[in-house]
Amino acid sequence: MAEATSRRRSRGGGGAARRAERGSIKIETAKYIERNIPLFEILTEEALEIIETNAETILEEVGVNFVDNPAALERWKEAGATVEGERVRIPRGLARELCKTAPSTITQHARNPEKSVVIGGNSLVCAPVYGPPFVRDVDGGRRYATMDDFQKFVKLGYMSKYLHHSGGTVCEPTDIPVNKRHLDMLLAHMTLSDKPFMGSVTEPSRAQDSVDMAGILFGKDFVQDNTVMTSLININSPMTFDDVMMGALEVYAKNNQACIVSPFIVGGAMAPVSVAGTLTQVMAEVLAGIAYSQLIRKGAPVIFGAFVTSIDMGSGAPTFGTPEASQILYGAGQLARRMGLPFRSGGGLCGSKLPDAQAAYETAHTHNAALLGGVNFMLHSCGWLEGGLVSSFEKFVMDADQLGILQKMAEGVAIDTNGQGMDAIREVGPGGHYLGCAHTQANFKSAFWRSELLDYKPFETWEEEGARDTQTLAANRVKTLLDNYQKPAIDPAIEEALNAYVAEKKASMPDAFI
Amino acid sequence: MAEATSRRRSRGGGGAARRAERGSIKIETAKYIERNIPLFEILTEEALEIIETNAETILEEVGVNFVDNPAALERWKEAGATVEGERVRIPRGLARELCKTAPSTITQHARNPEKSVVIGGNSLVCAPVYGPPFVRDVDGGRRYATMDDFQKFVKLGYMSKYLHHSGGTVCEPTDIPVNKRHLDMLLAHMTLSDKPFMGSVTEPSRAQDSVDMAGILFGKDFVQDNTVMTSLININSPMTFDDVMMGALEVYAKNNQACIVSPFIVGGAMAPVSVAGTLTQVMAEVLAGIAYSQLIRKGAPVIFGAFVTSIDMGSGAPTFGTPEASQILYGAGQLARRMGLPFRSGGGLCGSKLPDAQAAYETAHTHNAALLGGVNFMLHSCGWLEGGLVSSFEKFVMDADQLGILQKMAEGVAIDTNGQGMDAIREVGPGGHYLGCAHTQANFKSAFWRSELLDYKPFETWEEEGARDTQTLAANRVKTLLDNYQKPAIDPAIEEALNAYVAEKKASMPDAFI
C-alpha cells in the first residue's frame, strides 16, 4: 500500500512538542483502495438483462420529467426524444447510446498531487458523511451544526488515514446564511485539508462559485483540462430531474467537473417495494441523467450513483444496513459496470441515534457491501448517524478507523513464498509456537491489521482504566486529533485570493436563511 | 422461507394472558438458511492448488502428532502412514483419499422434526456462542457462569427465530462439578428446547453419556442410524491431536454422530503470520483429522472446521472481525468445498468487553464473511463477547436479531413479474409515490426485513422514551423473552428417563472441580 506521508512537524514550542509526544499522532493518508480481490455479484446475467430491458421500457413508455427547465426539454427533443409538457420519453437504446461518451474512470486531482484519486475500475475512494443539519458528540449532545463543527470535521478528515477524500457538506453550517455557506465550506476544504473535495450543488450559481474558487486554487486552465471536483447530483425519484440539480450539473459538465448522478430513494416510497423493481427504476433514472450530462458536454465525467434505503413499513422510517439495501447495492454495482461507468453508493449508513451497537452493525453491513459490491466512490464512509440527520464526531473517527479493514481486505491474499510461510511451518513443527520464529519476526509489523481506536486490552487493564466503551474511546480520539491538528501548507497568495473571493461574494448579496 | 411455527399458547391464567399481550411474543423458528446467492471466493485456482500441495507436503515431511493415543498410531500405521514416536507422517494423497468416504452433507435431526437441519451444500445453520466461563448482563455485570445462566441461554435460543440450533456449552456452568456438568447441560438442551444440539467432548466418557442420553431422547436405534449431535473437536494447533479430543471423536464417529474437526488458531502464535500460511496449516490439520475419523468408521459424518483469529502483535491479544480473519474464512470455505465437505467457521466473534459499537462492527464483519464465505455451520452466531471469555445476554438477543439479515440476504433477488414491479412503476409514474399503490399493498409485509430489536423511532419519541441505546433495548428484550418462555412439550416418560440417567450418573461419581 503506497502512502502519502506527512509526519507531524513540531511547531517549535515546548508545548507543541509535549503534545506531539503525548498524542503521538502520525498523519498519514493511504492511497485510494485498488481492489486485488474479486467482486460479489448477486444478480444473474438473465436478471441483469431483464432489468436493463425494463429500464428502457420505462424510459420509452413512462418517461421522465425535467422540471422548470425548457432548455433541457429542447436538448432532449434535438437528441431524438419525445417531449410532452415536462415529460421526456426516450426511445429504446438512445439513452444508453448517449452514455457511451462518458469516461469509464475519472482522475480527481487534489491540490496535494499525492492525494489525487482515481474513481473507476478497481478503485474505491472513501469520502465522509454528507448533508446532516445536526451534529452530535458526547459532551454537547445533539444540536444544529455550525461552521465551527464543519471545520472540525474537515480537520478530522484530513487526519484520517483511510479517508481518501475531504467530501462536501460534512454537516450543514446552519449559522451561516444559506446563500453564503457554500463559500465558507469550499474555503474550509481548500485550506484546512489537501485532499480532494466536492463542489456545491444547491444553486447553479453556487456550482459556478465552486468552479471559480477551484480555478483560484488549481489555476483556471488546469480546471478546464482536469477534474478537481466530484459533486452530488440527486435525482428526485421517481423519475424527476429538478432544475436546481440539473442546473448545477450543467455548470459542472460544461466545466469538465465530475457529477455523481444519483437516484435518492427510500424504497417502498420512492420506488417499488422490491429489489428488482427498485434497481429497474435506478437504472432508468441513471440512464436518463447521465445521457443528459453527455448532451451538455460529450465526455463530461460522471458517476453512476445509487442511494437507496429500505423502509420500515411499520413506521415509514428509512432503514439502513438491511439485506435489501445490500442487495440493491450489489445489483446497482453490476449495472454500473455493464455500462462501463464508475459507481457510487453509500458507506457507513445507519439509523441509530447514537454511535452504539446498532450504528456499528448497520455501518459494517454497508461497508462490506460497498467493498465487495465494487463501489468506486463511497460517500458517507464515516460519521453518518440517525439516517443522515446527524454528523457524529465520535462515529466519524470510529468509522474512519474501520475503513482500514476495507483497505487491508482489498489487498487480497499474498501467495508468494513469504505468504506461503512453509519455512515457518517447518521451523516450528507440531506443538511449537510461532511468535519467535524467523518468518514471524520478518512479517509481524504488517501482517495483521490493527485498529487505532478499538480496545484490545486485557480485561483487568480495561476495567482499571474506566471500562470505557467505543464511544468514550472515540471521544478521546476526537480530542487528541483536533488538539494535534496542523494546517497543511498552502501558497499564501492563493489563500489570500480565496479569502478575497469569499469576502467579495458575501458582500455582494444580502443574507438569506431559507 | 418455510417456518416451523409454534405460537405461544396461553397458560390459561389472566396473568399469563396479560403477559402474552404485553410482550406479544410469537415463537417461530426459521428453517435453516438455504443460500440462493453466489459465494465470495477470494483465492484463485492457482492459490488453492499451491495451498493444497503445501498441505500435503506438511503431512508428508513434517507430520502431525497424535498424543497419548497408541491405538491411533496403530491405525495410522495400518493405513500406510509412517509413525515415529507420536509423530505421524502421511504419504502425499493418502489423507485426501481417506477423506473421500466422509459424506458431503449431514442431516442433523432435532427432536422436533420441523427443526432438523441440513449441514452442507448451500445450507447455513446458525448455532449460539460456545464455551465462555463468564456471563455478562447489564444488571449483574461480568461474573462466573452458572447452570441457571446456562438454562436461560438455552431458553433464549429456543425463542430466537433465526437461531436454528441450540448449540452446546452456551456458557460453562461453573457451579456444577466439572465431571457432571455435561449431564445437566445435555438435559437442558434436550428438555428446555426442541432444536438440535451438540454433545460433550471434554472426556470420551462424556461423549458416551451424550450418545446414551440421545438414545433415550431419540431411541437407541435411531441414533445409530441417524445423526442427532454435532460436536466440536478442536485440534491443538499446530498439528497436534490430543487424546481427549480424539477420544471423544472416536466415540462419536463409532456412533455415527457428527464431529466438527476444527483447528483452533490464534494467528501468528499457532500458525504462520500470513493468510496463505495459516490456510495451509488449517488444510493439513483438517486433512489429518478427517482422515482419522474415517479410519474409525468409514462414512462417519464430519465437518471441515476452522476457528482462526488474527492477533494484535502489540499486546498478543487475539483480534476479531479483522480483514485477515475474513480472508482466512473465505479461503477455508473454498478449500472445504473442493473437498466436498460441510464447512464450519465462527459467527459473531468480537474482542470487545461490552456489547457496544466495537462488538457490533466485529460481529457484523464475521457474520457477513460467514454468509458469503459458504459456512454451513456457524458456531458462536450470537452472544459471544470478550474474545469468547464471556457469554453476553444482551449480545445474544442483539446478534440473534441480526441473523435475520443473513436469512433474508440469502434468499437472493426475486426476478419474477412481481419482483420486477413494472406495474407499480407504470401506476405511479414520475413524481408520484409508491406507498399506496397496489404492488406495495400486496408486498409490503414481507418486502423488507425488519429488526425486532433495533430502534426505528422518530428522534423525539426515542428521546421521550429514555434515549435508550442498543444494549438497553436488548436488556428489555432478554427480560421479555424469559418472562414469556414456555417449555416445548416432551413425552413425560422420556423426560423422566433422562432425569433418572442424570441422577444415577451423578450419584456414581464423586464431585470433581478441575
Side-chain angles (χ1 to χ4, degrees), chain A residues 169-353:
Chain A
T169 309
V170 286
C171 61
E172 276 287 346
T174 58
D175 56 337
I176 311 287
V178 91
N179 58 339
K180 299 181 179 177
R181 62 177 68 148
H182 66 289
L183 299 161
D184 288 328
M185 292 195 274
L186 286 160
L187 190 64
H189 284 299
M190 290 178 177
T191 60
L192 301 180
S193 180
D194 62 0
K195 295 185 180 181
F197 57 88
M198 301 168 78
S200 176
V201 296
T202 52
E203 270 277 315
S205 69
R206 297 173 199 156
Q208 190 58 54
D209 283 336
S210 308
V211 172
D212 293 345
M213 286 179 72
I216 297 171
L217 186 65
F218 289 95
K220 236 175 162 169
D221 291 347
F222 189 88
V223 170
Q224 290 305 312
D225 296 337
N226 297 282
T227 297
V228 300
M229 282 178 292
T230 307
S231 300
L232 181 61
I233 304 296
N234 280 330
I235 298 167
N236 232 333
S237 301
M239 286 102 82
T240 304
F241 297 77
D242 69 48
D243 58 322
V244 172
M245 282 287 165
M246 286 304 106
L249 175 143
E250 289 158 17
V251 171
Y252 285 122
K254 277 178 198 156
N255 288 281
N256 201 30
Q257 298 309 304
C259 287
I260 305 165
V261 178
S262 209
F264 179 94
I265 293 175
V266 177
M270 291 139 82
V273 69
S274 66
V275 169
T278 300
L279 284 169
T280 305
Q281 185 180 308
V282 164
M283 185 73 213
E285 292 176 348
V286 169
L287 273 170
I290 289 186
Y292 183 67
S293 75
Q294 302 303 301
L295 291 180
I296 300 296
R297 170 171 169 160
K298 272 196 207 316
V302 279
I303 295 169
F304 183 127
F307 179 91
V308 184
T309 82
S310 43
I311 190 172
D312 169 26
M313 279 295 183
S315 66
T319 52
F320 303 89
T322 60
E324 297 81 19
S326 295
Q327 289 174 340
I328 289 167
L329 191 159
Y330 287 125
Q334 289 180 267
L335 293 168
R337 288 192 290 284
R338 284 161 70 96
M339 287 185 72
L341 289 172
F343 173 49
R344 170 258 160 162
S345 193
L349 308 181
C350 67
S352 186
K353 316 293 186 292

Side-chain angles (χ1 to χ4, degrees), chain B residues 380-392:
Chain B
H380 316 302
S381 294
C382 61
W384 162 293
L385 202 65
E386 208 189 308
L389 285 175
V390 172
S391 293
S392 157

